[in-house]
Amino acid sequence: MNAKFLAVCALVGAFVMQPVSANIPFFSSSDETPTLAPMLEEVTPAVVNISVKGSREIRQRVPDMFRFFFGPNGPREQVQERPFEGLGSGVIIDAEKGYVVTNHHVIDDATEIVVTLKDGRRFDATVVGNDERSDIALIKIENGEDLTAIEIGKSSDLRVGDFVVAIGNPFGLGQTVTSGIVSALGRSGLGIEEVENFIQTDAAINSGNSGGALVTLDGELVGINTAILGPNGGNIGIGFAIPSDMMRDLVDQIIEFGEVRRGILGVRGNDLTPEVAEALGIDANYGAFVSEVIEDGAAARAGLESGDVIIAVNGEKVRVFADLFAKVATIGAGREVDITVIRDGKTKTFTATLAAEETSVTAESIHPALESVTLAVAEQGGVQITEIEEGSIAARYGLRQDDIILAVNRVRVNNISDLRAAVDNAGSVLALNIRRGNSSLYLVLRSAR
């Protein structure tokens, strides 16, 4: 018996041993050969192709050698509108209402959205709401009939090694199915999105798969395919999907409010390392170590303390601090959450009501040099200057309206809470990493404090 035959037997055995829905046969009717076809026949009608058209504003710096044509106050940038077309994928989650989940980057700036079903029918669609910071969007099929919705599973039940199937529209080829396993859970710190808590899979995901479905062998949606890690934009077996639990929380907020209203727990900290665990005398190898509890924040009111190690939110494991941030941010402001911690070697659970993330603030309260500046969270991440008074300290240092602050003293800021924390640790000198149109620059602000 050769090695190749043994490998095939092992693979078939692994598939056969997977639990599947009683309503979906796992074998062909003719010769009892293992097959995914019955499950896919049920699921694939819920996965759609999305084509978009629109225009984007392109900013280009005017070279200094040409600026004299416009006089001393001539424009520094040239703005052009350029048309674009794009392709992606989506998943029908509500057949009656025609709701389709996809990625924000699939429909970003689109003025025309067309959804094509597996059976070839085409429908116009409109945007219900989206969240760029987590790359989720909800669109609605207009006048859709006889639609098929997918069953949404619990991504928190996934384990590394579970078999999964990716369905989408890679390279505009049309609906395509690939299979693999869950390679890792809770992936973060990749710099793909601001809010990251990805499922990693080796199921082939390529350009055009964005917004498509990652499903289990019993046909339940557990992820929205979003990104790949590949040197040339092609599949190398490292793909990422937004967990279905996270997607559901975001979509519920979009349906209820038309937007995502992020929750804030009010803690700062780091990943639990073996060194920290040993110093605290606790037997744990995962969690979010709380180094500071913000005064009057949700965590403080719930009874959390610095030195706590958060190991679960609503019963779902917290592996690292970024995992905690992603879970809290997507649950939503005003919602109650159960926070499980290890304190003094004992496990305790606290109930916290999440506060709302600051979305706009007069910046003088953050730093004196930002007097007469109004800030808001930028859609693409960072903190945007929405208003600035002419002649103010910040204006004299070179800040302008619509500048986006990306980092303070090399500390990344994604929102106003991050900006406050970074400024608190920076002293009176602020080195601001600014994005201005398509350019990036540093500005240094000083003020006596």
Side-chain angles (χ1 to χ4, degrees):
M1 191 175 294
N2 63 36
K4 182 177 180 181
F5 178 77
L6 289 174
V8 171
C9 290
L11 180 60
V12 171
F15 271 97
V16 171
M17 292 171 63
Q18 290 295 307
V20 295
S21 170
N23 297 322
I24 302 178
F26 197 62
F27 297 92
S28 64
S29 57
S30 57
D31 58 3
E32 295 296 302
T33 302
T35 176
L36 296 177
M39 179 273 286
L40 292 171
E41 288 167 358
E42 297 284 335
V43 170
T44 50
V47 183
V48 303
N49 295 346
I50 297 176
S51 58
V52 299
K53 293 181 180 179
S55 61
R56 289 196 175 103
E57 190 177 85
I58 305 297
R59 295 177 178 268
Q60 293 180 318
R61 186 176 181 274
V62 177
D64 292 339
M65 62 186 297
F66 295 120
R67 286 184 58 204
F68 72 91
F69 286 114
F70 303 99
N73 297 318
R76 296 175 180 270
E77 294 178 333
Q78 183 180 22
V79 180
Q80 294 180 329
E81 289 284 336
R82 292 186 181 176
F84 73 90
E85 297 183 6
L87 296 171
S89 307
V91 187
I92 301 174
I93 61 168
D94 189 320
E96 182 178 348
K97 295 181 179 178
Y99 286 153
V100 177
V101 173
T102 185
N103 287 136
H104 166 82
H105 74 259
V106 171
I107 54 87
D108 187 24
D109 292 328
T111 54
E112 180 183 329
I113 304 174
V114 176
V115 170
T116 303
L117 306 187
K118 182 185 178 183
D119 61 14
R121 289 182 294 157
R122 294 162 60 90
F123 298 97
D124 292 333
T126 56
V127 177
V128 178
N130 58 79
D131 181 45
E132 182 171 2
R133 295 161 67 187
S134 59
D135 203 15
I136 280 290
L138 182 68
I139 63 176
K140 178 180 172 64
I141 293 175
E142 299 295 337
N143 304 314
E145 296 180 351
D146 299 324
L147 304 178
T148 300
I150 200 166
E151 183 178 350
I152 302 176
K154 291 188 65 177
S155 55
S156 57
D157 290 341
L158 283 177
R159 299 175 300 169
V160 173
D162 284 346
F163 286 98
V164 286
V165 174
I167 311 170
N169 178 31
F171 301 112
L173 291 172
Q175 192 173 90
T176 301
V177 177
T178 57
S179 66
I181 63 169
V182 174
S183 305
L185 296 166
R187 285 292 194 220
S188 60
L190 304 173
I192 299 171
E193 310 297 343
E194 178 189 335
V195 182
E196 296 182 341
N197 187 28
F198 292 122
I199 300 165
Q200 181 181 326
T201 178
D202 66 349
I205 296 174
N206 289 286
S207 177
N209 271 110
S210 292
L214 189 71
V215 303
T216 59
L217 293 189
D218 53 359
E220 292 187 346
L221 179 73
V222 288
I224 300 297
N225 300 323
T226 297
I228 58 174
L229 186 63
N232 300 310
N235 172 63
I236 59 170
I238 302 178
F240 301 100
I242 297 169
S244 59
D245 295 348
M246 180 173 168
M247 177 275 292
R248 195 200 307 256
D249 285 334
L250 293 166
V251 166
D252 285 348
Q253 293 179 62
I254 290 172
I255 293 172
E256 184 175 357
F257 306 116
E259 62 181 1
V260 172
R261 299 182 177 179
R262 297 196 189 285
I264 294 287
L265 184 58
V267 296
R268 296 180 184 136
N270 305 97
D271 302 344
L272 179 69
T273 64
E275 293 78 14
V276 172
E278 183 179 358
L280 295 175
I282 61 174
D283 184 18
N285 56 10
Y286 66 89
F289 173 68
V290 178
S291 60
E292 181 182 358
V293 177
I294 308 302
E295 186 177 358
D296 295 327
R301 290 192 293 270
L304 271 70
E305 299 176 357
S306 58
D308 287 343
V309 176
I310 299 175
I311 59 172
V313 173
N314 286 343
E316 296 180 12
K317 181 185 292 187
V318 171
R319 297 172 178 82
V320 293
F321 200 88
D323 195 5
L324 172 67
F325 170 76
K327 291 181 186 298
V328 169
T330 55
I331 289 172
R335 307 286 174 86
E336 284 194 351
V337 294
D338 292 330
I339 308 295
T340 303
V341 308
I342 298 176
R343 180 187 296 173
D344 299 327
K346 299 179 180 178
T347 301
K348 298 183 177 182
T349 299
F350 300 87
T351 300
T353 301
L354 298 179
E357 180 185 71
E358 293 179 283
T359 57
S360 180
V361 66
T362 301
E364 184 179 2
S365 62
I366 297 178
H367 194 280
L370 297 176
E371 180 183 2
S372 304
V373 173
T374 301
L375 302 171
V377 176
E379 290 186 0
Q380 63 270 47
V383 177
Q384 185 171 14
I385 296 176
T386 57
E387 295 180 25
I388 183 168
E389 185 176 316
E390 187 176 350
S392 65
I393 296 173
R396 292 199 300 270
Y397 275 117
L399 287 171
R400 300 180 190 169
Q401 185 172 328
D402 294 331
D403 282 352
I404 297 176
I405 302 172
L406 300 176
V408 176
N409 293 9
R410 297 187 177 182
V411 176
R412 172 75 187 188
V413 296
N414 295 308
N415 50 55
I416 293 171
S417 297
D418 286 351
L419 180 63
R420 285 187 186 276
V423 169
D424 286 345
N425 295 324
S428 60
V429 179
L430 306 182
L432 305 182
N433 180 203
I434 302 292
R435 181 168 64 236
R436 180 175 295 166
N438 293 327
S439 302
S440 180
L441 63 150
Y442 270 93
L443 296 176
V444 178
L445 282 66
R446 296 178 176 86
S447 177
R449 301 196 65 168

